[in-house]
Amino acid sequence: MQMLVNYTWLQKTKHQLLDIIKRNAQAIMLYGHQGIGKKSLSLWLAKILLCENTNTAANQDKSCNSCSACHLFDIFQHPDLHILDYKDEKFADTNNIGIDNIHNLISGLQQTPHMGKMQAVIIYTIEQLTIAASNALLKTLEEPNNKTIFIIISHNIKKVMPTILSRCISINIPHPDKHQGIEWINQNSHNIPDTIKNLFAHKPLLSRNYDENIYINTIGFLTNPHINELKIDSKKTQQLSQILNIFSYWLFDLLYYIYRGKTKYFSEINLLKKYAASLSIEKIYICWQYLLEAGQYNNFNLNIKLILSMLTHKYQDIFTIND
């Protein structure tokens, strides 16, 4: 299971969360970039809340890992742990958490805790709730009880309903600095080029999904946009995420090269130097704007091939010289 093993950048946040739960918080919103450990942090906190020995002198800030509650938690069989994760197979068709899922959750929470005094709910992520599901969740948050805590995760807090936010204690989860991120990647991922390490430095957990073929194909398109094409398995959204990440840093580097004559991430941009004088900066920003929009849609059940087609067109347009 995902637990906090060596996420050095989250140590301060862990202490902050422990202080919050001591004040009997009913709902906590963990928000920040993808790939920085928010889900792992939520599991760590939930395990502490459900541990049978947390309140002993030796275990005030950690789970004991030896009681029956901890053992059941580790295999996701604890009866008082409720997880709604849009990446679960039951949500594969829509990538959304619907109102029926929330109603089933609420029905389960109406029972008294099975093993201890608390029930823990983890929702990953709040953006994946339908409007009806969000409204149902809001109604539950408006009628809190002292035996349930909600740990809600958001990748984009701007998309969360203000009324839900008002019912939560919101914590901005920090991303690692470059040194911390690359150190984590070196310890946990293998055979990743230095360029990719730099791209994932501030969201290192995403490096676990690195696909060398996607990288080679994307760089091939970016250096020869009118000859090569982007290829992707439309059923694998993590491939789109990797392409968008590469695109983002590439466009930054392209502007950096135009203004300063050098790059920060991709030496391959030198292959475009013959175009440098004629590239449209305005079109680069238009492409970047679409890239940001595509990033917001990435977690939803949209037509991935359509997104890539639009992105391809806007990137190719950068190299089109208007008469």
Side-chain angles (χ1 to χ4, degrees), residues 158-314:
K158 293 181 180 179
K159 301 178 72 174
V160 180
M161 290 172 55
T163 45
I164 288 181
L165 275 179
S166 69
R167 298 292 173 177
C168 302
I169 298 175
S170 298
I171 306 296
N172 186 1
I173 307 303
H175 61 70
D177 60 34
K178 185 176 181 179
H179 172 75
Q180 290 172 322
I182 291 179
E183 182 179 41
W184 189 91
I185 293 172
N186 286 336
Q187 292 172 353
N188 295 275
S189 302
H190 304 286
N191 301 320
I192 292 183
D194 288 341
T195 297
I196 295 299
K197 291 178 183 178
N198 287 326
L199 299 190
F200 287 118
H202 296 302
K203 38 195 171 183
L205 276 66
L206 294 183
S207 67
R208 296 176 299 191
N209 298 325
Y210 168 69
D211 185 321
E212 183 179 13
N213 291 328
I214 291 294
Y215 177 75
I216 293 173
N217 173 253
T218 304
I219 295 298
F221 167 76
L222 291 169
T223 53
N224 294 283
H226 293 295
I227 299 176
N228 297 320
E229 63 178 351
L230 286 171
K231 298 177 182 178
I232 190 173
D233 184 338
S234 60
K235 296 181 180 180
K236 296 183 178 180
T237 57
Q238 69 267 27
Q239 291 187 357
L240 177 61
S241 179
Q242 183 174 332
I243 289 175
L244 297 180
N245 193 48
I246 295 171
F247 249 93
S248 178
Y249 282 96
W250 181 272
L251 291 178
F252 170 87
D253 238 11
L254 194 56
L255 287 170
Y256 198 82
Y257 182 82
I258 291 172
Y259 285 118
R260 300 197 177 187
K262 56 183 179 181
T263 63
K264 291 191 69 174
Y265 299 103
F266 298 98
S267 60
E268 294 93 340
I269 281 184
N270 288 312
L271 297 173
L272 300 177
K273 62 182 179 181
K274 62 182 179 181
Y275 301 107
S278 59
L279 292 181
S280 168
I281 294 177
E282 179 182 0
K283 290 179 179 179
I284 293 176
Y285 279 111
I286 290 174
C287 184
W288 207 336
Q289 180 60 42
Y290 181 77
L291 184 69
L292 294 174
E293 294 173 0
Q296 294 178 2
Y297 300 143
N298 185 27
N299 290 327
F300 295 89
N301 190 31
L302 298 181
N303 190 324
I304 292 177
K305 289 186 177 181
L306 178 61
I307 291 175
L308 282 188
S309 176
M310 289 292 294
L311 187 57
T312 296
H313 173 73
K314 291 184 182 298

Side-chain angles (χ1 to χ4, degrees), residues 23-43:
R23 303 200 301 267
N24 297 318
Q26 302 297 311
I28 300 174
M29 178 79 67
L30 307 179
Y31 70 94
H33 297 301
Q34 283 186 273
I36 58 176
K38 298 189 298 299
K39 186 192 289 188
S40 298
L41 193 61
S42 69
L43 289 167

